Amino acid sequence: MNIESIIQTVAIYAIPVIFAITLHEAAHGYAAKSFGDKTAFLLGRVTLNPIKHIDPMGTILVPLLLYFATAGTFLFGYAKPVPVRFGNLRHPKKDMVWVALAGPASNLFQALIWGVAYLLLIKLGVSERFFMEMCQAGILVNVVMFVFNLFPLPPLDGGRILVGVLPWKQASLVSRVEPWGFYIVLALLLTNVIGNLWMRPLMSATYWLLDTVLIPIRLIF
């Protein structure tokens, strides 16, 4: 691989990825605090400091190894999960849904902001490729995080949302999957099951939603 191309790619994606991960985890912590659990707040995890959310293995080592091993065709990573004691929430089962949803919601909002920034650059006549590609990367990274984290399997946010909305009996059955959930998700990723059946259709729907919301901005610009 071309080392210059790698450096350029890292430079373009660095800021969008850092913001996507940081705000995602901070949103979980803030939502938990709002619903009665101050665990993340007391541990300093309700913060925009990216260092607090970086997992050395999942945020740095795993993505780099996969990037080089697959020549950039497959990338996967994760941040340090924000600790939430669901028993501390005022209404644990119901509030868990909002705490879990806060992370993906922050990514959807960021994708929208990057989209507005992209249109603003066009309006201002900025043709610098680096900034245009950074905005596009910001949209892509956050759409991927939004859709992926909504996959309905614990410990992903979508799994916790599913546990929160299901009746107690069914919720208990789904929650038992969590100890093996990471390995199941990884296997589904490697076999492209999630990519074909979940990521692609939902990413297309999310891009459509963003395009629709951005129509008034386009008309103004």
Side-chain angles (χ1 to χ4, degrees), residues 88-106:
N88 291 342
L89 300 174
R90 286 186 285 273
H91 306 92
K93 195 169 185 296
K94 181 177 70 174
D95 294 346
M96 175 173 63
V97 173
W98 298 109
V99 173
L101 190 59
S106 75

Side-chain angles (χ1 to χ4, degrees), residues 55-70:
D55 181 281
M57 179 67 72
T59 313
I60 300 173
L61 186 59
V62 169
L64 283 176
L65 288 175
L66 287 174
Y67 184 87
F68 286 108
T70 64

Side-chain angles (χ1 to χ4, degrees), residues 135-148:
C135 289
Q136 292 173 330
I139 297 171
L140 175 61
V141 166
N142 281 285
V143 168
V144 168
M145 284 193 65
F146 170 70
V147 172
F148 177 71

Side-chain angles (χ1 to χ4, degrees), residues 14-214:
I15 291 178
V17 168
I18 289 172
F19 272 108
I21 291 174
T22 301
L23 292 177
H24 179 104
E25 296 302 332
H28 283 312
Y30 181 79
K33 180 176 180 290
S34 299
F35 287 103
D37 178 35
K38 296 183 179 180
T39 304
F41 176 75
L42 294 175
L43 292 174
R45 296 296 305 280
V46 185
T47 175
L48 298 182
N49 180 0
I51 296 176
K52 294 285 187 178
H53 304 292
I54 289 176
D55 181 281
M57 179 67 72
T59 313
I60 300 173
L61 186 59
V62 169
L64 283 176
L65 288 175
L66 287 174
Y67 184 87
F68 286 108
T70 64
T73 60
F74 179 77
L75 199 59
F76 174 74
Y78 52 90
K80 187 189 300 181
V82 164
V84 178
R85 294 182 179 175
F86 296 105
N88 291 342
L89 300 174
R90 286 186 285 273
H91 306 92
K93 195 169 185 296
K94 181 177 70 174
D95 294 346
M96 175 173 63
V97 173
W98 298 109
V99 173
L101 190 59
S106 75
N107 292 122
L108 183 61
F109 179 72
Q110 287 180 78
L112 181 63
I113 295 301
W114 283 110
V116 172
Y118 182 80
L119 294 176
L120 184 59
L121 289 177
I122 294 175
K123 173 64 176 179
L124 296 175
V126 177
S127 57
E128 174 58 47
R129 180 181 164 210
F130 178 82
F131 295 113
M132 301 296 284
E133 290 190 4
M134 181 180 289
C135 289
Q136 292 173 330
I139 297 171
L140 175 61
V141 166
N142 281 285
V143 168
V144 168
M145 284 193 65
F146 170 70
V147 172
F148 177 71
N149 279 285
L150 286 179
F151 188 73
L153 187 72
L156 296 179
D157 297 326
R160 299 193 188 283
I161 293 170
L162 182 61
V163 169
V165 299
L166 285 175
W168 280 104
K169 184 177 180 180
Q170 289 80 2
S172 177
L173 292 174
V174 174
S175 64
R176 291 178 188 175
V177 177
E178 183 159 347
W180 302 279
F182 173 80
Y183 304 103
I184 296 173
V185 169
L186 189 57
L188 292 175
L189 279 171
L190 292 173
T191 55
N192 214 25
V193 173
I194 289 181
N196 289 330
L197 300 181
W198 182 264
M199 297 296 294
R200 290 180 183 176
L202 266 70
M203 284 181 66
S204 296
T206 304
Y207 273 116
W208 175 84
L209 175 63
L210 291 171
D211 285 339
T212 303
V213 174
L214 288 171

